Amino acid sequence: MRLSACIIKEELEGKLIGFIEGDGFKKPLLSKVRMYQGEHSLEAGYLYIGSKETLEQMPELKKGSCLLYTGRLEELSLSEASRKGTVLAAARQGTEAYLNRIMEIFEKYNAWEEKLQSCVNKRKCIQSMIDACRGIFENPLFLCDQNYRFLAITGLESEEQDTDTVSQDVMCSFRFEKEFQKLWRSSSAFLYQSKFLPYRNLSYRVRCEGNYTLGLNLQESRVPFRDSDRFLLEYLGEYICLYYDQNYMQLRQNQEEKTAVLIRMITGIETHRESLQHVMDSLQWEEDHSYQVYCLKITELEKKYRFVGSQCTQVEHVFQYAYALEYEDCLVTIVNQTLLGSHRDSAEEQLRIFIRENYLKTGKGRAAKGIRNIRTSYLQAMAALEAGEKKDPTKWYYVFDEYSLDYMIYNCTGSLSPKELVPEGLLRMKEYDRQNQTFYLQTLETYYREKCNTSRAAEVLFIHRTTFLERLRRIRRFLCMDLDDPKNRIYLILSMEVLKNDN
């Protein structure tokens, strides 16, 4: 990879004591490094390292050349002819040490270029290209499409994501700022100060053969921008463009195939074994692994501003071994619990934070053994979401095991509402409690909770056992039922649950 003298200067920060900026200072012209050996002129494209001992007279610096001098600038006799190139003056140190450091700089950027090319050749996800920029950019980086939907963000490859990356709602607000619209018209990177953020953005449009127009953005939230950031951002943009130009159709087909096959699995439609195996191979999953389904309810607002694709990406990175897709009104996430292993609890906690910050109500099914059983987990997640929203509308997270009884009550009554199946005596007793400030319903519930142990139930209610027995006598008069009959017990317990949900 060719580097600019500007990049070399920034990488040697702390060692330089002066510099003279020559023609092509910010252009990527330097590709090789040499020790100065008395040449009369320094050729473009080369970085020469010299010292007071080797520089008996000042050579001519051609445009696009660079001289790293170990000494003070005042020691050099710089003529007009010698000022076409860049001169960097460094603290006195052995030239061999500087040669090694320059070689390390070239190797660093060459390795970056190789990683980007590997992402293109191996058709890795676009997030991998942003991940490869660690150590190149010191500020957070993100890629979005023209709908202001995140495609990749700095920090998703690590467990601790960057806390200063721009959020999706702020990203969406950019669409209303006229200044930011320059991004989609500009052919080069430009600086932009948002009204919504306390720092500047360096933005660059990536146009990919008309199929995609993407926004590549670097935000100045950690350290001030460097002069080289503009060139490096545009250089990254070229590889992102190459990535989409070469892989666009294949990426789209792969994504559509995975989504179609998994939707068939959760809806119970027969799936060809070859198609399923192809999807499993692409995800690096095994058919006999354990899977768990989460259903995140999406709103019309998310659909309108096309947040769902971004949310799929973020949920997949929360769980690492997951695939998220949009189906009906939910973001359905299939998690490979076998591969997730010991990270389940931490991933679950991160998901809770994600759904709270994005206002997404979520149902969680049980783990299912084998990919062909994920329909059961999906139906359980949807059942938990349905019952949870009815019973606890102020909550955001519903686990099937905690709401299975409520779902059963809501859905086992046919054309009648659950309340219409409750014993009339129980309804009269509830109304009597309300009018007279009595506690017969609470007494009956406590009696059953304490397994019909009258002494223990009386202790829980802080009343005398005789008082408790008198309450039971009156409850039997209200209900006209044998409280200890097994069938009546089940009937009354379920009925009291119905009355709770009715509140």
Side-chain angles (χ1 to χ4, degrees):
M1 177 178 174
R2 291 179 177 270
L3 302 182
S4 65
C6 175
I7 292 177
I8 301 297
K9 169 183 170 292
E10 291 169 352
E11 291 286 344
L12 292 175
E13 187 176 3
K15 293 184 177 294
L16 296 183
I17 55 178
F19 77 99
I20 296 175
E21 183 177 321
D23 293 342
F25 175 69
K26 295 182 181 180
K27 295 181 179 180
L29 302 173
L30 304 175
S31 61
K32 296 181 180 179
V33 57
R34 285 181 176 176
M35 300 295 288
Y36 177 72
Q37 297 178 343
E39 294 92 335
H40 294 295
S41 63
L42 306 187
E43 299 295 327
Y46 287 89
L47 187 150
Y48 294 83
I49 301 176
S51 63
K52 187 174 182 180
E53 290 73 22
T54 58
L55 276 168
E56 296 179 358
Q57 59 180 13
M58 189 65 192
E60 176 188 356
L61 274 73
K62 293 185 177 181
K63 180 180 178 180
S65 65
C66 181
L67 171 64
L68 175 61
Y69 176 70
T70 58
R72 302 174 62 82
L73 286 176
E74 293 80 4
E75 298 171 357
L76 301 174
S77 54
L78 297 170
S79 62
E80 287 297 325
S82 64
R83 292 188 179 180
K84 291 183 180 180
T86 297
V87 179
L88 306 175
R92 290 194 184 279
Q93 192 176 348
T95 52
E96 290 290 338
Y98 281 109
L99 174 63
N100 292 335
R101 179 68 185 108
I102 295 298
M103 294 298 293
E104 288 175 0
I105 294 171
F106 273 100
E107 289 172 2
K108 169 185 173 180
Y109 286 93
N110 285 336
W112 179 49
E113 184 179 43
E114 289 175 3
K115 288 179 182 178
L116 296 179
Q117 187 64 56
S118 175
C119 292
V120 174
N121 296 341
K122 296 182 179 180
R123 295 176 179 172
K124 297 181 179 180
C125 66
I126 192 63
Q127 178 66 43
S128 62
M129 300 195 80
I130 301 301
D131 296 344
C133 296
R134 283 281 191 181
I136 302 298
F137 297 101
E138 297 182 24
N139 283 304
L141 182 71
F142 65 91
L143 182 70
C144 68
D145 63 13
Q146 274 191 287
N147 294 309
Y148 301 90
R149 180 184 67 178
F150 284 132
L151 301 176
I153 316 173
T154 297
L156 287 180
E157 82 283 7
S158 61
E159 292 186 1
E160 295 185 6
Q161 297 184 20
D162 294 324
T163 57
D164 49 2
T165 52
V166 63
S167 61
Q168 179 70 69
D169 55 344
V170 174
M171 186 69 223
C172 183
S173 66
F174 284 169
R175 70 174 67 231
F176 303 112
E177 295 196 48
K178 293 182 179 179
E179 188 68 18
F180 191 75
Q181 303 309 312
K182 291 180 180 178
L183 169 63
W184 310 116
R185 301 189 298 271
S186 176
S187 59
S188 59
F190 71 95
L191 279 173
Y192 163 69
Q193 175 68 61
S194 169
K195 293 185 296 185
F196 299 94
L197 300 170
Y199 39 74
R200 299 182 298 170
N201 287 273
L202 185 62
S203 301
Y204 178 60
R205 181 191 68 172
V206 181
R207 188 168 181 80
C208 312
E209 287 191 358
N211 293 322
Y212 277 98
T213 301
L214 310 173
L216 187 57
N217 302 272
L218 189 67
Q219 55 188 52
E220 196 178 32
S221 58
R222 293 180 183 167
V223 298
F225 283 138
R226 302 172 301 172
D227 290 336
S228 64
D229 281 339
R230 187 185 300 268
F231 158 70
L232 293 172
L233 193 69
E234 293 177 357
Y235 194 81
L236 172 61
E238 292 176 7
Y239 271 94
I240 291 176
C241 183
L242 181 63
Y243 173 86
Y244 276 96
D245 286 346
Q246 290 191 11
N247 302 323
Y248 171 73
M249 290 306 298
Q250 185 66 39
L251 289 168
R252 183 169 180 176
Q253 290 172 2
N254 288 346
Q255 191 76 7
E256 289 175 351
E257 180 188 12
K258 284 188 281 192
T259 298
V261 168
L262 292 173
I263 286 178
R264 291 173 71 88
M265 296 296 293
I266 64 175
T267 53
I269 300 174
E270 186 177 352
T271 306
H272 293 299
R273 186 171 186 81
E274 294 78 9
S275 299
L276 177 60
Q277 190 59 51
H278 187 265
V279 171
M280 300 296 283
D281 291 342
S282 66
L283 293 169
Q284 297 183 334
W285 290 357
E286 295 293 338
E287 195 168 331
D288 60 351
H289 283 176
S290 292
Y291 299 90
Q292 196 156 25
V293 177
Y294 296 75
C295 291
L296 289 68
K297 190 173 183 179
I298 53 180
T299 65
E300 290 303 317
L301 183 65
E302 270 102 23
K303 293 181 181 179
K304 179 179 178 181
Y305 290 110
R306 302 186 182 181
F307 287 176
V308 181
S310 167
Q311 291 167 340
C312 284
T313 301
Q314 294 180 63
V315 171
E316 286 173 358
H317 280 90
V318 165
F319 283 107
Q320 299 180 40
Y321 303 102
Y323 187 82
L325 57 93
E326 180 182 354
Y327 179 65
E328 295 185 341
D329 292 327
C330 282
L331 193 164
V332 180
T333 304
I334 304 166
V335 181
N336 188 317
Q337 294 287 5
T338 301
L339 295 180
L340 193 59
S342 62
H343 299 289
R344 295 176 190 176
D345 292 341
S346 60
E348 188 96 5
E349 183 60 32
Q350 289 182 49
L351 177 69
R352 289 175 181 267
I353 295 172
F354 173 79
I355 62 176
R356 187 170 61 246
E357 290 180 346
N358 289 270
Y359 307 106
L360 298 170
K361 290 181 178 288
T362 300
K364 174 187 173 183
R366 293 173 181 160
K369 183 66 174 177
I371 191 67
R372 293 188 178 276
N373 295 318
I374 61 169
R375 172 169 168 76
T376 301
S377 184
Y378 166 72
L379 293 175
Q380 290 170 344
M382 291 299 296
L385 188 58
E386 177 188 329
E389 284 190 295
K390 287 182 181 179
K391 183 178 182 181
D392 297 312
T394 59
K395 293 184 178 180
W396 295 94
Y397 193 68
Y398 310 113
V399 180
F400 177 71
D401 287 337
E402 298 174 6
Y403 290 91
S404 54
L405 176 60
D406 302 290
Y407 181 79
M408 187 186 302
I409 292 171
Y410 293 139
N411 292 276
C412 69
T413 59
S415 59
L416 296 174
S417 69
K419 187 176 179 180
E420 291 172 331
L421 294 174
V422 171
E424 286 185 327
L426 197 64
L427 292 174
R428 288 196 304 271
M429 191 168 72
K430 180 183 178 183
E431 181 63 20
Y432 185 88
D433 278 346
R434 188 186 66 81
Q435 292 181 0
N436 298 277
Q437 302 297 310
T438 53
F439 303 96
Y440 293 124
L441 194 64
Q442 181 190 23
T443 300
L444 180 60
E445 184 181 2
T446 306
Y447 178 62
Y448 283 138
R449 188 185 303 123
E450 298 304 322
K451 301 177 182 179
C452 302
N453 185 323
T454 55
S455 299
R456 177 60 189 152
E459 289 179 12
V460 170
L461 293 175
F462 300 103
I463 59 176
H464 196 275
R465 184 172 178 274
T466 303
T467 304
F468 186 85
L469 291 173
E470 176 59 24
R471 287 188 185 181
L472 282 184
R473 186 183 65 79
R474 295 188 180 186
I475 289 171
R476 288 187 177 95
R477 287 178 57 187
F478 270 114
L479 299 177
C480 299
M481 297 171 67
D482 181 359
L483 301 184
D484 297 321
D485 180 87
K487 288 186 179 180
N488 288 346
R489 188 184 305 178
I490 293 173
Y491 184 25
L492 289 169
I493 290 173
L494 288 176
S495 296
M496 286 187 287
E497 287 294 323
V498 168
L499 293 180
K500 283 183 187 177
N501 291 330
D502 186 56
N503 290 334

